Amino acid sequence: MYRHGQKENVYDPSKESSIDQSRDALFAVIDEKKKVSGKNMSYGTLDRTTGLTTVSRHRGTHFRVMGHMVKGSMTLYLEEAAWLINMNTLSISEAGLEDYFSLMFSKSDNWITFEKYQVYTYLRRLGYIVRRSSAAMTITSTTPDLVPSFWNRHCNWFIQTIVHFVKRILIYCFGTRSIVCDNQFSTYQSVYSTLKIIPSSSTWYKPFSNQKETKSSFDWDIYRPNPHWKKRDPGVPDFRIVVTSSRDAIPSLAKYQQIFGDLEQIPRNPTSFNQIRYTNSSNLSFLLAVVDDTGAVSFLRICGDGVIDMTRSRDKR
């Protein structure tokens, strides 16, 4: 006899049969395949070398937001074909959904991964238009590294030695002085603007600007559901997503510098995010999608520069 009455969720042998019936009903619903008319079924062929699926006959409205043309044929990436197969709207000769999973999770095309596919399917179920990021095409590649000659190396060493020697003489003769003088500035912003001693055309300083970087920092371009959206003119994405695993370390500072540097060079949709309090409306933002081992997806909004100088509000008071 329970002291405070019957407790909930206590195992009752008499209810075991009803639990089995509920479990069987759940499995029956999961195993049930969506019935699609033959008129709406699409057919294709998988190229296991490239991971691309060539669609010989495409039907339905899915291809309005999926696929791309290659030599006049509709072509699908691995994640797109796997999604349509799972929806039972695409039939592949001599290949099934297990073959696509094997290719995707073994990184056969050197891009798609388990985490990226989980984010793709999650957003597609919500109705979003998901495309592989095209930012790499718009980011200007930097100058490639050149191997300096023997003469150039010695000239650079000689010039650096002379510059260092002159600096030592000037410091010895004239000494050093404070960059910020007393009672000259009244706000932190004016002080920080004076201390900006690293010249750079970008607000996100990149000390390794001579590196050749053509890989996009982003994984997915996301568009809100729009019946007038067109693949040939997609426009600026509403969101840009970087995918990572919960087992991986958080992105390094150098990675964030690369991401925000890329954001400055590509078009952005000003209405994608709501303005955060005490930040400028033109701040840079992107979404970080974190995927755990169970396939659950969490989204984090990462904001860049845009914090307003708090001393202004204090001065007004």
Side-chain angles (χ1 to χ4, degrees), residues 10-299:
V10 178
Y11 174 73
D12 186 356
S14 62
K15 297 181 180 180
E16 186 172 355
S17 59
S18 61
I19 295 176
D20 293 337
Q21 293 178 359
S22 301
R23 187 185 298 110
D24 295 339
L26 174 63
F27 291 153
V29 172
I30 295 176
D31 294 337
E32 184 179 357
K33 292 184 178 180
K34 181 181 178 180
K35 296 181 180 180
V36 180
S37 173
K39 297 180 180 180
N40 296 327
M41 179 64 69
S42 302
Y43 299 92
T45 305
L46 171 63
D47 186 346
R48 298 179 183 271
T49 304
T50 61
L52 298 176
T53 299
T54 303
V55 182
S56 57
R57 171 189 169 184
H58 54 90
R59 295 289 187 273
T61 59
H62 298 286
F63 294 95
R64 185 182 66 84
V65 298
M66 301 176 66
H68 58 283
M69 301 301 294
V70 176
K71 296 181 179 180
S73 300
M74 178 63 68
T75 306
L76 300 172
Y77 290 119
L78 287 171
E79 66 275 5
E80 295 175 324
W83 167 261
L84 292 178
I85 294 174
N86 190 40
M87 296 293 292
N88 199 27
T89 58
L90 176 64
S91 177
I92 304 298
S93 59
E94 300 180 358
L97 189 60
E98 296 79 5
D99 299 294
Y100 280 88
F101 285 159
S102 177
L103 291 173
M104 284 191 294
F105 302 157
S106 62
K107 300 181 181 180
S108 60
D109 67 345
N110 297 321
W111 193 85
I112 189 68
T113 61
F114 168 79
E115 291 78 15
K116 293 178 182 178
Y117 180 71
Q118 292 299 323
V119 175
Y120 177 84
T121 56
Y122 179 83
L123 294 173
R124 287 293 292 127
R125 293 191 193 100
L126 295 178
Y128 287 95
I129 301 171
V130 186
R131 307 286 292 182
R132 290 192 180 188
S133 179
S134 58
M137 302 178 184
T138 59
I139 297 174
T140 305
S141 60
T142 54
T143 306
D145 296 333
L146 300 177
V147 179
S149 63
F150 177 83
W151 174 254
N152 289 338
R153 288 199 301 269
H154 282 73
C155 286
N156 291 335
W157 174 83
F158 179 76
I159 293 174
Q160 291 177 1
T161 303
I162 296 297
V163 171
H164 179 73
F165 182 72
V166 172
K167 284 183 177 180
R168 298 292 296 180
I169 293 177
L170 293 176
I171 293 175
Y172 179 80
C173 296
F174 302 99
T176 59
R177 64 182 180 86
S178 175
I179 298 178
V180 180
C181 300
D182 296 335
N183 302 324
Q184 185 177 357
F185 305 102
S186 59
T187 64
Y188 287 112
Q189 184 179 9
S190 57
V191 175
Y192 293 150
S193 62
T194 305
L195 295 177
K196 191 182 295 182
I197 60 177
I198 300 177
S200 176
S201 59
S202 172
T203 57
W204 289 92
Y205 172 60
K206 293 183 178 181
F208 307 104
S209 58
N210 62 335
Q211 285 186 333
K212 184 177 181 180
E213 182 64 50
T214 57
K215 182 180 178 182
S216 173
S217 302
F218 309 99
D219 297 313
W220 298 115
D221 290 343
I222 311 300
Y223 302 86
R224 292 187 177 95
N226 183 3
H228 304 291
W229 187 87
K230 298 179 181 179
K231 288 189 291 186
R232 64 175 180 269
D233 186 20
V236 180
D238 293 306
F239 310 99
R240 299 186 189 274
I241 292 183
V242 178
V243 180
T244 186
S245 172
S246 59
R247 290 179 173 268
D248 297 337
I250 61 175
S252 62
L253 179 60
K255 180 63 176 179
Y256 281 126
Q257 288 178 331
Q258 176 189 347
I259 293 174
F260 286 116
D262 293 347
L263 274 176
E264 285 187 325
Q265 301 181 47
I266 56 180
R268 302 185 301 275
N269 191 337
T271 62
S272 298
F273 298 98
N274 296 326
Q275 182 178 352
I276 300 177
R277 190 179 183 185
Y278 301 126
T279 61
N280 297 325
S281 58
S282 59
N283 61 333
L284 307 177
S285 299
F286 69 94
L287 294 179
L288 180 66
V290 183
V291 184
D292 62 18
D293 295 338
T294 63
V297 183
S298 301
F299 293 95

Side-chain angles (χ1 to χ4, degrees), residues 1-7:
M1 187 68 181
Y2 294 101
R3 183 177 180 180
H4 299 289
Q6 184 72 25
K7 295 184 178 180

